[in-house]
Amino acid sequence: MRENDENYYGKHGEPSKFDPSFKGPIQNRGCTDIICCIIFILAIIGYFAVGLVAWSHGDPRKVIYPTNSEGKFCGQVGTPLEKMPFLFYFNIMKCASPLVLLEFQCPTPQICVESCPDRFLTLVKAFSNPKDFLYYKQFCKPFSFTQPNIPQLLKDRVCPAMITPSRPFSQRCFPALNITKGTVVVGSNTTFDDGLGKTRNVTDLLEGAKKANIVQDARQVAMKIFQDYTKSWYWILLALLIAMITSLLFIVLMRFLAGIMVGIMIILVIAVVGYAIFHCYMEYAALKGTPGADVSIKDLGLQTDFAVYLQLRQTWLAFLIILCIVEVVIILLLIFLRKRICIAIALIKEASRAIGHIMSSLFYPLLTFALLSLVVTYWAITAVFLSTSNEAVYKVFDNETLCNYTRTTCNPETFNTSDISKQCPLAQCLFAFYGGETPYHRFLIFFQFYNVFMFFWCCNFVIALGQVTLAGAFASYYWAFKKPDDIPSTPVFSSMGRALRYHTGSLAFGSLILAIVQTIRVLLEYLDHKLQGTQNKFTKFLMACLKCCFWCLEKFIKFLNRNAYIMIAIYGKNFCTAAKDAFFLLMRNIIRVVVLDKVTDFLFFLGKLLIVGSVGVLSFFFFSGRISLVKDTAPQLNYYWVPILTVIVASYFIAHGFFSVYGMCIDTLFLCFCEDLERNDGSPERPYYITPELRAILLKNPSEEPEEKNEQIQE
């Protein structure tokens, strides 16, 4: 190489040299990054150990069943409380105490009952009538008094002082409150006897019910969402099947009609977004003059019934503005990139030929999806068991006097004979929450972060395996001089075999770097949540800067890893060397990277947007009951947006899975093209491997390409 060549390339590494023996992905290669491979295997073994420990300590029933004052589950199958599914509060008015917000527990005894009370009754009144007392006893703790008396039952907190008509809500008995002519009533009464000789207002019950329900709102929403899934899961699967067929059909048509399909895709995307804008405007205009429609989202606050927001004009106005911005951005990008789009279409056509010769590559995302589903399932199960592996913790509650032992831990079995009970006669030892003081419980937060870290590492490894496998397959296509005769018979399986046999360590190394950055981002979110309300403006600014920096770092590492995996698939080098070679190769062709690679990414994004938008619009009209032909077929849901959002998100991942094959193919062909230009000069002795059609578009004047490069070097 001449001296001026060295000056030109010196800043970004040495260009690839001509090698007559190079015919594509190297077959004779050795194992790379062995140490990282060993570390990854040990980390996997440790991950299984954490899962076994979590499964031995955890109990998911804690998030399913309500818990009484003794920490036992109401309605649990196979226990004495199996036929007692509802939780009953002795004095729900005490749930208005601030302790509810501190401990998420009402300072009153709670027991499991078969059914909620359906009448007003005080202990004094029930005691005078054997029939009433027999009914009343089901809301008392078991007692062995042969001749019980009222003071003893109340002192020992065996029975509540009174019961009120109640309704079950999330397996808990809450007062059956109603509003009659603007007045809150229970049954038909506005006041009641609290059983202690006082007449109380029904609003006292209302306040207690509100505080007792503070932790149940989110759970109730979750239960309604779960119910919606049970009613609509088969329709969701049908919509996802439509998304899969549409994506596959789109990819197949791209094989033969790339230019036409891209044009249709662009027009349809603009049309779909335009229709969404029109629909939002019509909804916005239809709500004009409707009572309550002009209320702002801020004034409305957070509502568990999200359908309420669709009754506000401001909601549709926000959708309208967002969609208009998206439409304008898409149109402007298409105008400014119109010349580069033609070049990108040529690259897509070449990728279509490659995929046409390696059709098995289209089905590889199914394996990636299966492996990712396995990782996500293991992570979710382990997270649930870790979060429910605490022990029952009991604390002292005293809402009547100023007891010095309030909120200290206690033992319910010995509490009545302890000094605390003597000094604070009104205090109670109640179940507070699940926790623990053992070494396992002290390191529980570490296990949770380890679970998150290994989740990221395993997911990134599965994705990396897919990228190396596809890169090796498509590289064998590019470097086949006579296509398709020189293409290996099973390029996908051969590439996957090389990746697992020789480069597990390199894949683990690249995945580890990315997992560390992602875990740091999760840690920053955790710290931001924990420190919320205690930060000043500087710390908030610093936290925002850190989040932004690590987000950018994650995007850069993903880009670098992707190209490093391509070099690993071709040359079999270790991760660091492959990453360096890929980075310098891209820097030596930075203009082509910007104008070609990113334009194809934009076109693929439009394709995914078209598929997701089409399936999403169809789901919206179906689940909202706006298609008259199938209106009676659509399930009745609490929130019809639940299946719609599920379909939209899942459709995006399905479309992304199919288009990722195209994306990996184009990235691989692009890097191979850059290598081809450096290795060869188009002469009979050193011919280009790129097809003449693609070379005619990527290079303005192919016959003069070497001379143009020399002129640039001399300048």
Side-chain angles (χ1 to χ4, degrees):
M1 183 178 290
R2 298 191 306 271
E3 182 178 357
N4 53 0
D5 291 336
E6 296 177 357
N7 293 333
Y8 177 73
Y9 289 112
K11 294 181 180 180
H12 305 301
E14 294 294 329
S16 301
K17 298 180 181 179
F18 174 71
D19 183 1
S21 63
F22 179 74
K23 302 296 181 182
I26 297 174
Q27 303 296 325
N28 186 17
R29 58 180 72 192
C31 296
T32 56
D33 298 307
I34 299 176
I35 296 177
C36 197
C37 179
I38 296 173
I39 294 174
F40 182 61
I41 294 174
L42 294 176
I44 291 290
I45 295 174
Y47 196 21
F48 282 119
V50 170
L52 291 174
V53 173
W55 297 341
S56 63
H57 288 78
D59 191 351
R61 295 172 301 177
K62 296 173 184 176
V63 297
I64 300 175
Y65 301 102
T67 310
N68 65 10
S69 297
E70 298 177 357
K72 297 179 181 179
F73 306 114
C74 299
Q76 181 188 345
V77 179
T79 66
L81 301 178
E82 179 179 358
K83 296 182 179 180
M84 299 180 180
F86 304 111
L87 187 68
F88 173 73
Y89 299 90
F90 271 29
N91 188 355
I92 200 168
M93 290 180 291
K94 290 188 177 182
C95 295
S97 167
L99 287 176
V100 176
L101 300 177
L102 294 174
E103 302 289 355
F104 291 98
Q105 180 67 291
C106 290
T108 185
Q110 301 158 44
I111 62 171
C112 301
V113 295
E114 292 185 12
S115 60
C116 297
D118 58 5
R119 67 194 72 170
F120 269 119
L121 203 58
T122 64
L123 180 59
V124 175
K125 184 178 179 181
F127 203 75
S128 61
N129 187 324
K131 185 177 180 181
D132 288 341
F133 188 66
L134 183 63
Y135 174 80
Y136 202 93
K137 281 175 62 177
Q138 65 178 310
F139 304 106
C140 298
K141 298 178 182 178
F143 58 87
S144 58
F145 306 132
T146 55
Q147 293 182 345
N149 57 77
I150 295 175
Q152 187 178 18
L153 293 176
L154 293 177
K155 178 184 177 182
D156 295 339
R157 294 179 177 84
V158 176
C159 291
M162 56 94 187
I163 59 175
T164 61
S166 303
R167 284 193 294 259
F169 178 77
S170 188
Q171 291 186 264
R172 289 159 175 82
C173 296
F174 290 107
L177 300 170
N178 297 298
I179 298 179
T180 303
K181 297 181 180 180
T183 304
V184 180
V185 298
V186 175
S188 59
N189 303 319
T190 58
T191 60
F192 63 94
D193 186 352
D194 66 357
L196 299 175
K198 296 181 181 180
T199 300
R200 306 286 293 268
N201 195 291
V202 170
T203 54
D204 294 336
L205 288 175
L206 179 61
E207 290 301 317
K210 284 182 178 179
K211 290 295 180 66
N213 194 38
I214 193 171
V215 192
Q216 305 307 321
D217 283 344
R219 178 182 176 132
Q220 183 67 10
V221 172
M223 292 299 295
K224 287 184 177 180
I225 291 175
F226 179 75
Q227 291 173 0
D228 288 343
Y229 277 127
T230 59
K231 295 179 181 178
S232 61
W233 64 269
Y234 43 90
W235 293 110
I236 293 176
L237 291 180
L238 179 61
L240 298 184
L241 180 62
I242 294 174
M244 184 178 296
I245 295 174
T246 305
S247 301
L248 184 61
L249 182 63
F250 196 92
I251 294 296
V252 172
L253 290 176
M254 290 273 283
R255 166 71 176 86
F256 305 99
L257 305 168
I260 297 175
M261 288 301 297
V262 170
I264 294 175
M265 177 181 66
I266 292 173
I267 295 173
L268 288 180
V269 167
I270 295 176
V272 169
V273 178
Y275 173 77
I277 293 173
F278 170 76
H279 179 78
C280 291
Y281 174 77
M282 294 303 294
E283 292 286 348
Y284 174 76
L287 290 173
K288 185 177 182 180
T290 303
D294 292 325
V295 177
S296 67
I297 297 176
K298 183 179 179 181
D299 294 336
L300 183 63
L302 180 62
Q303 301 292 326
T304 55
D305 186 1
F306 296 100
V308 174
Y309 295 106
L310 299 180
Q311 308 301 320
L312 303 180
R313 299 188 76 206
Q314 193 178 77
T315 302
W316 292 105
L317 180 61
F319 289 157
L320 180 65
I321 294 173
I322 293 172
L323 290 172
C324 285
I325 294 174
V326 171
E327 184 86 327
V328 171
V329 169
I330 291 175
I331 293 175
L332 290 177
L333 286 174
L334 291 173
I335 293 174
F336 288 113
L337 299 176
R338 60 188 184 279
K339 294 182 179 179
R340 299 301 176 184
I341 287 175
C342 297
I343 301 176
I345 290 174
L347 201 56
I348 292 174
K349 287 181 179 178
E350 186 65 22
S352 300
R353 296 190 190 98
I355 294 175
H357 292 302
I358 311 176
M359 288 298 293
S360 57
S361 62
L362 283 177
F363 301 97
Y364 186 86
L366 298 178
L367 176 60
T368 300
F369 176 77
L371 293 176
L372 286 177
S373 299
L374 185 64
V375 173
V376 171
T377 302
Y378 183 85
W379 164 79
I381 294 175
T382 304
V384 169
F385 275 87
L386 282 174
S387 61
T388 59
S389 60
N390 294 309
E391 299 173 348
V393 175
Y394 299 87
K395 290 197 173 186
V396 177
F397 290 89
D398 189 347
N399 199 35
E400 304 294 337
T401 62
L402 297 176
C403 181
N404 295 329
Y405 296 97
T406 301
R407 291 172 48 212
T408 59
T409 56
C410 59
N411 187 342
E413 297 179 358
T414 61
F415 180 75
N416 290 333
T417 59
S418 65
D419 293 336
I420 300 176
S421 179
K422 295 177 182 178
Q423 296 181 29
C424 305
L426 297 179
Q428 307 170 68
C429 183
L430 301 178
F431 167 75
F433 56 86
Y434 287 99
E437 299 296 334
T438 64
Y440 169 77
H441 294 101
R442 285 197 293 268
F443 287 100
L444 194 57
I445 186 67
F446 167 77
F447 292 147
Q448 287 282 20
F449 272 105
Y450 186 74
N451 185 35
V452 172
F453 170 73
M454 287 304 300
F455 167 72
F456 285 135
W457 197 358
C458 293
C459 284
N460 292 329
F461 181 84
V462 170
I463 294 173
L465 176 62
Q467 291 176 343
V468 170
T469 299
L470 293 176
F474 294 130
S476 64
Y477 163 83
Y478 185 93
W479 296 108
F481 192 74
K482 295 181 180 180
K483 301 176 178 63
D485 298 337
D486 293 343
I487 301 175
S489 57
T490 56
V492 174
F493 290 106
S494 300
S495 179
M496 185 177 181
R498 290 194 300 268
L500 290 174
R501 180 179 179 182
Y502 298 110
H503 306 302
T504 300
S506 297
L507 302 184
F509 191 12
S511 304
L512 174 63
I513 297 173
L514 187 56
I516 291 174
V517 175
Q518 291 171 332
T519 305
I520 292 175
R521 291 190 62 198
V522 171
L523 182 60
L524 288 175
E525 293 292 341
Y526 175 79
L527 292 176
D528 189 29
H529 176 72
K530 286 293 184 182
L531 299 176
Q532 201 168 25
T534 62
Q535 300 172 323
N536 55 35
K537 292 184 178 180
F538 174 76
T539 55
K540 288 182 179 179
F541 172 77
L542 181 62
M543 187 65 70
C545 290
L546 288 173
K547 289 181 182 180
C548 180
C549 290
F550 278 98
W551 179 84
C552 295
L553 181 61
E554 180 184 349
K555 294 299 180 183
F556 174 75
I557 291 176
K558 283 183 177 180
F559 173 77
L560 187 62
N561 282 7
R562 185 182 180 91
N563 290 282
Y565 294 147
I566 296 174
M567 302 300 281
I568 290 173
I570 298 174
Y571 298 106
K573 298 179 180 180
N574 62 56
F575 177 80
C576 292
T577 304
K580 182 192 70 174
D581 292 346
F583 180 74
F584 284 148
L585 179 61
L586 293 173
M587 290 301 296
R588 293 195 295 268
N589 298 270
I590 189 64
I591 302 300
R592 291 191 179 101
V593 172
V594 175
V595 301
L596 294 181
D597 191 45
K598 296 305 141 189
V599 173
T600 56
D601 289 345
F602 172 68
L603 292 179
F604 287 150
F605 172 74
L606 291 183
K608 289 183 279 189
L609 192 64
L610 174 62
I611 294 173
V612 172
S614 302
V615 177
V617 169
L618 180 63
S619 301
F620 171 76
F621 281 105
F622 175 76
F623 287 111
S624 61
R626 304 195 181 195
I627 302 179
S628 56
L629 294 176
V630 293
K631 187 175 182 179
D632 297 332
T633 307
Q636 298 296 320
L637 305 173
N638 297 302
Y639 310 121
Y640 68 79
W641 52 263
V642 170
I644 295 174
L645 287 182
T646 304
V647 168
I648 289 175
V649 173
S651 298
Y652 176 82
F653 283 111
I654 290 173
H656 178 74
F658 282 99
F659 278 95
S660 65
V661 176
Y662 253 97
M664 200 65 207
C665 181
I666 287 179
D667 288 346
T668 303
L669 296 181
F670 181 75
L671 275 186
C672 292
F673 163 70
C674 295
E675 284 271 312
D676 194 10
L677 290 183
E678 293 184 352
R679 286 179 175 274
N680 306 300
D681 56 10
S683 62
E685 295 80 13
R686 296 165 59 183
Y688 289 122
Y689 282 78
I690 187 175
T691 57
E693 297 85 0
L694 184 60
R695 182 169 177 262
I697 295 177
L698 293 180
L699 301 175
K700 292 182 180 180
N701 194 341
S703 62
E704 297 178 2
E705 207 284 329
E707 286 76 15
E708 290 180 0
K709 182 189 297 183
N710 290 336
E711 291 176 3
Q712 293 176 355
I713 293 172
Q714 293 174 1
E715 292 177 359

